[in-house]
Amino acid sequence: MSTKVLEAIHINKYFHTEQTQHVLKDITFSINTGDFTAVIGKSGCGKSTLLYILSTMDTDYEGDLLIDGQAMRMKSELELARVRNEKIGFVFQFHYLLNEFSVLRNVMVPGLKLGKYPEKELEHRAMEKLKIFGIENQALKKPNQLSGGEKQRVAIARALINDPILIMGDEPTGNLDKKNGEIVFDLFKKLASEYHQTLLIVTHDQEFAKATDRIIEMEDGRILTS
Amino acid sequence: MKRFKLLYDIALALSLARWRQTMVAAVGVMFSITMFIALLGFMNGLNDMLDGLILNRTPHIKLFNEIKPSVHQPVQLASEFKDHFNVIRSVKPNGGRLEIYNVNAITQTISKDERVLGIAPKITVQAFYSIGAIEVTGVIDGIDVEAESNLFHFSDYVTTGNFMDLKNIPNSIIMGKAAADKMLAEIGDVIQVTTVNGEQQQLKVVGFFQSGLRDVDKVQSYTSLGTAQKLLGVSRNYITDLQIKLKDLSLAPAMAKEYRNLFDVDAEDIQTANAQFETGSSVRSLISYAVGITLLIVAGFGIYNILNMMIYEKMDSIAILKATGFSGSDVKRIFIMIALSIGILGAFFGLLFGYLASVFIDQIPFNSAAIPNMKTYPVNYSLKFYIIGAAFGIITTYLAGWFPARKAGKIDPVIIIRGK
Ligand SMILES: Nc1ncnc2c1ncn2[C@@H]1O[C@H](COP(=O)(O)OP(=O)(O)OP(=O)(O)O)[C@@H](O)[C@H]1O
Ligand SMILES: [Mg+2]
């Protein structure tokens, strides 16, 4: 009895540079609660582009996108920001932590924005997330005092702070060495198995992809298998 | 409110990360507001002083009888020439009475007028000061010493001697300093004056008078009303001018017109008599405003620059804020907050230092023979300048922040993230 967290219906995307490029071709698929999905495909096949659309940051596409059953098409910029804040967590290749704030505060920022919990409680929750990744003792450091792998773990903790229905990752280990990459992979697996977190992760790593419940393979803007 | 605090925290963190530039921008605003306040305070101090030089001593409305040809010539009154077009050449004034008729009735009526602060009668006597065999022209004003002092600060300009002696000592005179110097007259001396009718009179010098305008001091002297009437050999009802001071100076033109019709006398208002002084004042104010606002605009560009730089450096932060659920207007608000904080901080210290600069100017000694009762540079501390300075400072920084902030709000996170 799983429900659809995300549904893409006939999504097409074009880039209009010197000549028009059809980057995404009729993408239709859906993701259910608890799914741990990997997206693979050759470089330039449109994985990132698709993820930006699914995350509601890119609104320049054809077709429909449903998140938690709601159509994103007609929503205003303000409403989309709210959807991202509340329902989606995003992990990029780069960590994008704010160096002016402590690690703990970085994790809290999206939660403070949502304003669902009082600050004290939010702080406690942020600490819990950091504990999952074993970096709670780094909470009061500034991000630039952390190692690359630690930063990426903080970024994942930040993505989790509002208990999103879906976490998306665009090559979240792309910038890490093998060892750190494996640590982060293991953490995603832990999130999926222990916390039943719905995950949609773009990756180049076959090993990692095999460990997921489901693989979506893309080629030249199309979904081959899913 | 909670959301506001979060945005404020982020704004604060961003400006602290670049605190040197933030400081420079705030100092720019501070400097321009300091200059604005000091300049306006000083300029308006000067204005007040210069205006005071003339306006304090000038009645708001002056009632008098001018010697001029009658408007209604007899031929126009004659019925047989009524329908004719009459050309009269070489019309001359007749009579030549300078006296205001019914002066007591007029004085009483005006004293009861709610809009009037006070009224002081005056007699103008054309006379010659006799120096040995030479006679120098002069004007002697017979005044009501107390009223003149209360309404027109007469006592401020009596630099030597006691102005009340004019009332208490019979046949006394307070001479313009320059006229007295010419006659080598000292206090206590007796001088001789001759009126245009040939009357001669001995008057005792009880004080010197300095108006600040040397040309005036060369001719002008004062006596009491009684002495002036004696000089002219006229009755106690003889008054040539009624000087009226109003509660509100701006009513003068309208009231002058009203009195002219009511009492059938000539009435001159201060605006007509001294139009050039107001022009001078407003030009000085205008220059100070222009300089102050120019400085503020320059400071505004400083803020514009620092914000643009901050936005350029913090693209990543803006992108992640947007990716994690901050809207464009949230981001815009953050940068406007930075601009406004710079503005408010700069304005606060600008007002403070502007006030201190004013106090400093106020201490600088300024001695002028022309303005005896002034010891230091004049400064006007009107709250108005502080309010205008603060308002302009904050509005300028808001506008300077608005354009970069809008740009930040429109940043597309996809472009930034893809660029990494
Ligand atoms: N802003 C843009 N303007 C024009 N073309 C673009 C733009 N962004 C991406 N593209 C093109 O769209 C295609 C898909 O790009 P995308 O970044 O989605 O690939 P990807 O599958 O994520 O590749 P990689 O695995 O290397 O990250 C590429 O051919 C790229 O050149
Ligand atoms: Mg990519």
Side-chain angles (χ1 to χ4, degrees):
Chain A
M1 59 144 273
S2 52
T3 54
K4 283 178 183 168
V5 168
L6 179 141
E7 209 176 346
I9 305 161
H10 303 300
I11 286 184
N12 283 281
K13 164 90 186 173
Y14 302 86
F15 278 120
H16 306 280
T17 40
E18 297 94 70
Q19 71 245 64
T20 300
Q21 187 187 352
H22 195 174
V23 201
L24 296 177
K25 296 164 188 161
D26 200 35
I27 303 281
T28 302
F29 75 102
S30 58
I31 291 175
N32 296 327
T33 340
D35 277 1
F36 183 10
T37 313
V39 180
I40 57 168
K42 286 207 192 81
S43 180
C45 70
K47 306 183 294 294
S48 296
T49 309
L50 176 62
L51 227 55
Y52 297 141
I53 290 174
L54 299 183
S55 72
T56 77
M57 284 193 285
D58 187 352
T59 50
D60 179 24
Y61 60 90
E62 289 167 10
D64 280 310
L65 170 66
L66 271 59
I67 292 176
D68 208 10
Q70 281 182 295
M72 296 293 118
R73 178 109 292 231
M74 297 312 290
K75 285 197 188 293
S76 68
E77 191 254 357
L78 209 74
E79 291 167 321
L80 289 178
R82 171 93 189 169
V83 170
R84 284 199 294 279
N85 187 222
E86 200 178 357
K87 301 193 168 160
I88 301 172
F90 218 121
V91 184
F92 305 98
Q93 224 171 54
F94 184 70
H95 54 78
Y96 292 107
L97 297 172
L98 307 174
N99 279 324
E100 292 81 21
F101 289 143
S102 69
V103 163
L104 183 66
R105 191 109 185 130
N106 262 288
V107 175
M108 287 165 68
V109 164
L112 289 167
K113 168 71 190 154
L114 185 64
K116 192 166 148 192
Y117 301 104
E119 191 162 333
K120 272 275 152 251
E121 195 180 336
L122 194 68
E123 201 175 301
H124 178 73
R125 294 172 67 85
M127 251 351 224
E128 293 295 304
K129 306 291 179 199
L130 288 174
K131 267 182 205 155
I132 299 177
F133 305 116
I135 40 172
E136 69 273 20
N137 48 357
Q138 317 277 18
L140 298 178
K141 282 193 185 170
K142 289 280 154 68
N144 49 18
Q145 297 167 316
L146 263 51
S147 77
E150 285 168 335
K151 280 184 208 163
Q152 201 60 335
R153 280 183 267 168
V154 177
I156 301 169
R158 177 180 60 194
L160 282 168
I161 188 68
N162 287 337
D163 299 320
I165 56 170
L166 172 64
I167 287 199
M168 298 188 207
D170 190 358
E171 299 179 44
T173 60
N175 267 349
L176 301 178
D177 59 31
K178 193 158 169 52
K179 186 176 147 267
N180 270 308
E182 270 165 16
I183 294 175
V184 170
F185 271 155
D186 289 340
L187 289 171
F188 276 114
K189 282 183 215 158
K190 182 174 164 188
L191 283 179
S193 57
E194 286 179 30
Y195 299 88
H196 308 290
Q197 176 67 52
T198 317
L199 295 161
L200 178 65
I201 311 289
V202 171
T203 181
H204 277 126
D205 190 319
Q206 292 295 332
E207 294 284 310
F208 176 68
K210 275 187 199 126
T212 62
D213 309 335
R214 173 184 171 200
I215 297 174
I216 295 178
E217 194 181 351
M218 285 182 69
E219 195 182 290
D220 196 20
R222 275 179 224 283
I223 291 180
L224 287 185
T225 57
S226 66
Chain B
M1 202 56 226
K2 230 163 57 185
R3 268 187 50 220
F4 187 81
K5 186 177 175 298
L6 174 62
L7 297 183
Y8 177 76
D9 282 352
I10 295 171
L12 192 68
L14 290 179
S15 31
L16 286 183
R18 277 254 152 250
W19 66 271
R20 246 178 253 271
Q21 278 87 338
T22 312
M23 278 288 287
V24 169
V27 167
V29 177
M30 183 199 85
F31 180 73
S32 48
I33 291 183
T34 301
M35 285 301 289
F36 184 79
I37 298 288
L39 206 65
L40 272 162
F42 183 45
M43 281 291 192
N44 279 278
L46 281 179
N47 275 352
D48 295 346
M49 181 201 78
L50 293 171
D51 289 354
L53 219 53
I54 300 299
L55 300 185
N56 268 353
R57 284 176 296 156
T58 313
H60 296 166
I61 300 174
K62 190 172 91 174
L63 302 185
F64 58 104
N65 256 341
E66 192 146 48
I67 298 180
K68 63 181 172 202
S70 173
V71 179
H72 305 288
Q73 292 294 326
V75 69
Q76 284 158 324
L77 302 175
S79 54
E80 59 261 53
F81 297 117
K82 220 178 155 107
D83 304 328
H84 292 238
F85 183 79
N86 304 304
V87 178
I88 314 168
R89 282 180 220 279
S90 242
V91 180
K92 300 281 188 296
N94 81 337
R97 292 189 62 176
L98 291 165
E99 171 183 9
I100 299 176
Y101 306 102
N102 259 331
V103 93
N104 288 336
I106 294 178
T107 308
Q108 269 181 16
T109 314
I110 292 175
S111 314
K112 281 189 203 125
D113 195 320
E114 279 289 302
R115 300 164 294 182
V116 171
L117 192 68
I119 178 165
K122 191 171 93 174
I123 304 167
T124 305
V125 183
Q126 301 286 337
F128 300 100
Y129 306 117
S130 306
I131 315 171
I134 310 165
E135 298 205 313
V136 179
T137 46
V139 177
I140 300 174
D141 281 355
I143 54 171
D144 175 336
V145 179
E146 277 155 334
E148 193 76 15
S149 195
N150 289 340
L151 297 178
F152 303 112
H153 306 268
F154 175 63
S155 53
D156 283 357
Y157 301 94
V158 176
T159 50
T160 324
N162 183 355
F163 74 99
M164 280 309 284
D165 286 350
L166 208 56
K167 188 183 171 200
N168 298 333
I169 300 174
N171 292 341
S172 57
I173 184 168
I174 289 183
M175 295 200 73
K177 187 81 171 73
D181 285 348
K182 216 162 26 173
M183 297 176 70
L184 299 173
E186 305 274 345
I187 301 232
D189 287 359
V190 173
I191 61 155
Q192 180 159 311
V193 298
T194 313
T195 66
V196 282
N197 302 335
E199 303 268 346
Q200 292 203 337
Q201 184 85 37
Q202 312 273 333
L203 296 175
K204 186 176 182 194
V205 180
V206 295
F208 295 137
F209 162 90
Q210 253 178 310
S211 65
L213 303 173
R214 208 181 143 76
D215 276 347
V216 172
D217 298 348
K218 265 192 218 167
V219 291
Q220 183 76 63
S221 292
Y222 289 94
T223 65
S224 65
L225 279 178
T227 309
Q229 283 157 351
K230 218 186 293 173
L231 264 178
L232 291 171
V234 293
S235 74
R236 294 198 68 81
N237 283 336
Y238 182 93
I239 296 290
T240 59
D241 297 63
L242 281 177
Q243 312 175 92
I244 302 165
K245 192 158 188 170
L246 302 178
K247 287 172 183 158
D248 178 5
L249 182 139
S250 63
L251 294 175
M255 286 178 68
K257 202 170 165 193
E258 184 184 324
Y259 287 157
R260 195 178 300 136
N261 297 331
L262 192 61
F263 302 127
D264 192 23
V265 291
D266 288 300
E268 188 177 63
D269 56 85
I270 190 166
Q271 283 83 347
T272 313
N274 289 294
Q276 73 277 21
F277 285 98
E278 255 184 61
T279 318
S281 302
S282 58
V283 166
R284 274 188 294 273
S285 290
L286 199 69
I287 292 172
S288 343
Y289 277 107
V291 170
I293 289 168
T294 308
L295 288 171
L296 271 176
I297 290 171
V298 173
F301 276 109
I303 293 179
Y304 179 84
N305 270 340
I306 158 94
L307 281 189
N308 265 331
M309 203 165 74
M310 238 181 228
I311 289 163
Y312 186 75
E313 278 177 4
K314 297 291 168 190
M315 286 285 193
D316 285 357
S317 305
I318 296 168
I320 192 64
L321 287 176
K322 287 192 130 185
T324 54
F326 287 78
S327 63
S329 52
D330 286 334
V331 172
K332 189 170 148 187
R333 253 176 237 139
I334 289 173
F335 284 91
I336 283 186
M337 271 181 201
I338 295 176
L340 277 183
S341 312
I342 293 173
I344 290 169
L345 199 74
F348 176 78
F349 283 102
L351 295 183
L352 188 72
F353 284 113
Y355 174 74
L356 293 179
S358 300
V359 170
F360 177 73
I361 292 170
D362 213 353
Q363 306 299 318
I364 302 175
F366 172 69
N367 290 311
S368 163
I371 309 151
N373 57 343
M374 183 152 301
K375 299 280 174 284
T376 58
Y377 276 109
V379 171
N380 184 325
Y381 291 98
S382 168
L383 189 64
K384 195 175 85 181
F385 307 137
Y386 292 78
I387 293 170
I388 292 174
F392 264 117
I394 290 167
I395 291 169
T396 322
T397 49
Y398 179 83
L399 289 180
W402 195 81
F403 293 97
R406 195 182 56 158
K407 197 172 89 183
K410 285 193 174 152
I411 284 174
D412 182 355
V414 172
I415 293 173
I416 310 296
I417 290 163
R418 191 186 282 284
K420 268 281 165 180

